[in-house]
């Protein structure tokens, strides 16, 4: 084994190359951010070329013989060290990219660029037959991709691993089974209660500038650092980062007639952003920079959005200010009515509008259908009927048409199979992490009731954020909470919260 100092020197050329790769990817991210915020429509064609060029340069750099040689020369640094993590992640990135034949990569990218306009057309006409052949093609390529990437138990593992390293289909089956068994009866019980239209106060006149000011005040208190970020408007809210914690931007959208979208999207994206802003700055331009997986990332956004932002404690502090900001719409709404409004359970056909309780069943349905499609138990032409049957079974809802059903999400057209479950993984991990934070600092709930978030933020920074991608998700969660990822705390949380809200 080489000593630390000698090893640092041996890794220098590899690290230099990875830093350049990080720069190219960061430049793509800046262009992508601009495309969704300020770029005029006339920029579309040139921007597509620029992004394709940078994407190709990054890919060529990654799969080049030189990268392979530098990885071989890197050897095996001290196990557990940051260098070992850098080599492990770079090797994984390199192997994934080199395992896939160039022909398959090109076909996949071509198939999804053809599928996306077809999906849009299909959705506009609510005519599944326009999209079905594209989905068949994408599925065939996804199966092939899984084969090349390799897996032990299930081809889905290979795809899932792209978004949630080391997560397994078998584990997800167990988690979803627990959720299904507990949530389907709860949702039935709630749906059978008289409709009180609890969310009515959230609709009305909500001045955009005031919504923006209020959102900024809250996320500043959460700890979002404006000297290393900014907030702009975009059709689909997102958070983006450019190679390190120095520039982490968020976007949101406003509806002047509906309070919820901007308010909760702002909390959500700020949750993603505080994760990125608190990664160890020395990890910038290395594979350790940035959140470790989609699921862990989503745990941070949902922790701030739901566990903090939809809690009684939080609104006991912030509601008077919100009421003063919008006296016409909220003046006569008492704090408890507002709390019930933002936590209304209403099964609906649309995932992105779903409440905390029904949301996971939208994901369960997509997970099961993805498995059936990938295994060949279901063909693309049979998908709409299978979709509607499961919507009815899990949520008691039948979509009005395919546009509002099976065609609502762009993910499959974009070739993203194995991605949906990371939303539920995020929900599960959010509660597990929050409970571990409260165990370490029992005063966190009272602090939230005073509009203070220092203890929670500090615990998350110390146990999750600063590590960036150094540990795989399971190891990170086990280090932070003392246990592997586990859905039990999440289920107890849902039962307690919604049992109380609906008197179950
Ligand atoms: Zn998110």
């Amino acid at each position: 084994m080489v000593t630390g100092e000698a090893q640092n020197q041996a890794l220098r050329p590899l690290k230099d190359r990875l830093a350049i790769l990080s720069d190219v990817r960061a430049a793509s991210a800046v262009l992508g951010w601009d495309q969704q915020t300020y770029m005029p429509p006339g920029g579309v064609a040139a921007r597509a070329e620029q992004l394709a060029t940078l994407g190709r340069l990054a890919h060529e750099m990654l799969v080049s013989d030189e990268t392979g040689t530098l990885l071989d020369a890197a050897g095996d640094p001290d196990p557990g060290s940051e260098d070992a993590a850098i080599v492990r992640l770079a090797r994984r990135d390199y192997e994934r990219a080199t395992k896939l034949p160039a022909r398959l990569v090109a076909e996949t990218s071509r198939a999804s660029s053809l599928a996306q306009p077809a999906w849009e057309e299909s959705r506009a006409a609510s005519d599944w037959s326009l999209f079905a052949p594209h989905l068949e093609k994408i599925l065939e390529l996804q199966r092939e991709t899984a084969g090349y990437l390799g897996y032990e138990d299930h081809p889905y593992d290979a795809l899932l691993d792209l978004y949630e390293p080391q997560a397994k289909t078998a584990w997800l089956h167990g988690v979803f089974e627990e959720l299904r068994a507990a949530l389907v009866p709860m949702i039935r019980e709630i749906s059978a209660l008289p409709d009180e239209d609890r969310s009515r106060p959230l609709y009305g006149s909500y001045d955009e500038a005031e919504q923006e000011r209020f959102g900024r005040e809250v996320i500043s208190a959460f700890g979002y650092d404006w000297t290393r970020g900014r907030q702009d408007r975009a059709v689909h809210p997102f958070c983006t980062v450019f190679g390190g914690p120095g520039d982490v931007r968020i976007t949101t959208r406003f509806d002047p007639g509906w309070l919820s979208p901007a308010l909760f999207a702002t909390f959500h994206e700020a949750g993603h952003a505080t994760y990125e802003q608190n990664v160890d700055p020395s990890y910038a331009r290395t594979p350790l920079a940035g959140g470790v997986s989609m699921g862990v990332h989503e745990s941070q956004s949902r922790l701030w959005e739901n566990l903090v932002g939809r809690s009684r404690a939080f609104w006991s502090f912030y509601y008077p200010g919100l009421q003063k900001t919008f006296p016409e719409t909220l003046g006569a709404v008492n704090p408890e009515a507002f709390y019930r409004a933002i936590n209304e359970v209403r099964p609906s056909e649309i995932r992105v509008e779903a409440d905390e309780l029904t949301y996971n069943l939208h994901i369960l349905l997509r997970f099961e259908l993805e498995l059936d499609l990938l295994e060949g138990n279901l063909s693309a032409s049979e998908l709409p009927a299978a979709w509607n049957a499961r919507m009815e079974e899990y949520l008691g809802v039948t979509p009005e048409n395919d546009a509002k059903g099976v065609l609502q999400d762009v993910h499959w057209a974009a070739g993203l199979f194995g991605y949906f479950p990371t939303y539920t993984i995020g929900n599960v991990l959010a509660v597990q992490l929050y409970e571990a934070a409260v165990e370490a600092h029992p005063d966190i709930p009272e602090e939230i009731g005073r509009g203070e978030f220092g203890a929670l933020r500090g615990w998350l920074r110390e146990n999750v954020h600063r590590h960036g991608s150094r540990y795989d998700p399971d190891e990170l969660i086990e280090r932070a909470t003392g246990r592997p990822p586990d859905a039990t705390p999440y289920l107890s949380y849902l039962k307690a919260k919604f049992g109380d809200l609906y008197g179950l």
Side-chain angles (χ1 to χ4, degrees):
M1 182 179 288
V2 268
T3 65
E5 197 48 37
Q7 195 170 69
N8 276 335
Q9 287 314 313
L11 283 185
R12 191 33 59 202
L14 175 67
K15 286 182 180 172
D16 288 346
R17 193 166 177 83
L18 295 173
I20 297 171
L21 190 56
S22 158
D23 292 343
V24 176
R25 288 170 171 169
S28 289
V30 177
L31 291 182
W33 168 82
D34 173 71
Q35 184 174 34
Q36 295 187 65
T37 50
Y38 293 108
M39 191 183 79
V44 169
R47 184 56 47 86
E49 297 294 342
Q50 293 150 7
L51 286 168
T53 298
L54 289 180
R56 198 180 61 242
L57 287 175
H59 182 76
E60 283 168 8
M61 226 185 134
L62 177 63
V63 301
S64 70
D65 293 345
E66 194 183 342
T67 305
T69 308
L70 291 173
L71 279 168
D72 288 342
D76 290 306
D78 299 346
S81 67
E82 289 170 349
D83 279 351
I86 288 174
V87 172
R88 174 175 56 83
L89 293 172
R91 212 169 260 154
R92 181 156 76 199
D93 208 10
Y94 173 80
E95 280 170 3
R96 264 184 200 156
T98 48
K99 272 179 184 170
L100 301 178
R103 186 248 338 140
L104 179 58
V105 174
E107 266 188 67
T108 301
S109 128
R110 189 162 165 277
S112 65
S113 27
L114 292 172
Q116 289 182 63
W119 167 74
E120 276 169 32
E121 213 186 313
S122 176
R123 191 171 66 148
S126 197
D127 179 355
W128 176 250
S129 69
L130 300 174
F131 180 59
H134 292 274
L135 184 63
E136 279 298 355
K137 179 70 191 166
I138 285 174
L139 273 168
E140 189 189 307
L141 295 167
Q142 292 284 310
R143 284 187 205 109
E144 214 185 326
T145 299
Y148 278 107
L149 291 173
Y151 52 87
E152 278 172 26
D153 298 323
H154 197 286
Y156 196 78
D157 288 344
L159 304 177
L160 187 59
D161 194 70
L162 297 172
Y163 312 105
E164 201 61 27
Q166 314 294 337
K168 294 286 179 269
T169 310
W171 175 75
L172 273 176
H173 258 306
V175 168
F176 278 120
E177 192 41 47
E178 270 186 81
L179 291 173
R180 194 192 57 74
L183 301 187
V184 170
M186 265 175 94
I187 290 165
R188 273 202 199 122
E189 212 179 321
I190 292 171
S191 298
L193 296 170
D195 186 358
E196 300 171 71
D197 197 7
R198 292 180 177 190
S199 62
R200 195 159 11 109
L202 306 176
Y203 299 88
S205 174
Y206 285 102
D207 180 74
E208 286 193 30
E210 289 296 335
Q211 286 194 50
E212 185 171 2
R213 193 197 52 70
F214 183 83
R216 282 172 181 253
E217 180 192 324
V218 172
I219 64 173
S220 302
F222 284 174
Y224 182 66
D225 178 354
W226 298 92
T227 66
R228 295 184 290 130
R230 50 178 293 129
Q231 184 185 41
D232 296 277
R233 292 170 190 227
V235 180
H236 303 289
F238 62 93
C239 166
T240 184
V241 54
F242 309 132
D247 190 350
V248 184
R249 304 185 191 184
I250 57 175
T251 62
T252 192
R253 62 161 171 226
F254 295 93
D255 183 336
W258 187 14
L259 181 65
S260 300
L263 188 65
F264 293 106
T266 298
F267 297 176
H268 182 99
E269 299 308 329
H272 283 300
T274 35
Y275 184 5
E276 293 288 340
Q277 285 188 331
N278 287 299
V279 173
D280 186 330
S282 73
Y283 292 174
R285 300 175 78 223
T286 78
L288 305 185
V292 63
S293 69
M294 304 305 302
V296 175
H297 235 298
E298 205 59 17
S299 77
Q300 297 309 294
S301 55
R302 286 170 193 247
L303 189 154
W304 290 99
E305 177 192 350
N306 292 333
L307 280 96
V308 176
R310 291 185 206 265
S311 70
R312 263 201 194 94
F314 174 84
W315 288 107
S316 71
F317 180 81
Y318 277 102
Y319 190 62
L322 188 74
Q323 225 176 359
K324 257 183 229 136
T325 308
F326 302 109
E328 281 172 33
T329 29
L330 294 176
V333 178
N334 69 44
E336 184 60 18
F338 182 76
Y339 173 70
R340 289 155 75 96
I342 58 172
N343 287 298
E344 184 186 50
V345 174
R346 182 176 290 275
S348 86
E349 56 207 0
I350 306 294
R351 173 184 64 88
V352 296
E353 291 171 10
D355 54 81
E356 246 185 300
L357 198 63
T358 57
Y359 191 91
N360 300 291
L361 297 177
H362 288 269
I363 302 303
L364 162 65
L365 164 148
R366 285 158 178 76
F367 169 68
E368 290 179 343
L369 294 174
E370 284 188 350
L371 287 178
D372 283 346
L373 287 166
L374 203 66
E375 288 167 357
N377 296 331
L378 188 69
S379 72
S381 60
E382 295 165 331
L383 186 58
W387 178 286
N388 292 347
R390 268 176 235 230
M391 281 295 286
E392 186 57 46
E393 184 187 344
Y394 298 154
L395 291 165
V397 170
T398 302
E400 197 185 313
N401 51 42
D402 286 344
K404 290 182 176 173
V406 67
L407 284 165
Q408 65 184 271
D409 297 307
V410 71
H411 299 58
W412 291 339
L416 297 173
F417 278 76
Y419 186 106
F420 280 120
T422 67
Y423 295 123
T424 286
I425 294 176
N427 285 333
V428 164
L429 299 182
V431 177
Q432 191 175 343
L433 289 167
Y434 181 78
E435 290 196 350
V438 173
E439 208 174 299
H441 302 281
D443 49 341
I444 283 176
E446 286 100 80
E447 275 198 15
I448 293 175
R450 295 195 300 271
E452 290 166 19
F453 307 97
L456 177 58
R457 191 169 63 232
W459 188 90
L460 290 170
R461 186 197 300 126
E462 183 59 27
N463 292 282
V464 179
H465 300 171
R466 73 184 173 96
H467 299 302
S469 292
R470 179 170 176 181
Y471 306 112
D472 271 335
D474 282 14
E475 186 182 355
L476 179 78
I477 297 304
E478 186 141 11
R479 280 171 171 269
T481 69
R483 281 169 300 137
D486 174 15
T488 317
Y490 179 52
L491 268 174
S492 313
Y493 157 80
L494 289 177
K495 283 181 189 159
K497 178 172 178 176
F498 292 94
D500 165 58
L501 271 159
Y502 283 92
L504 305 178

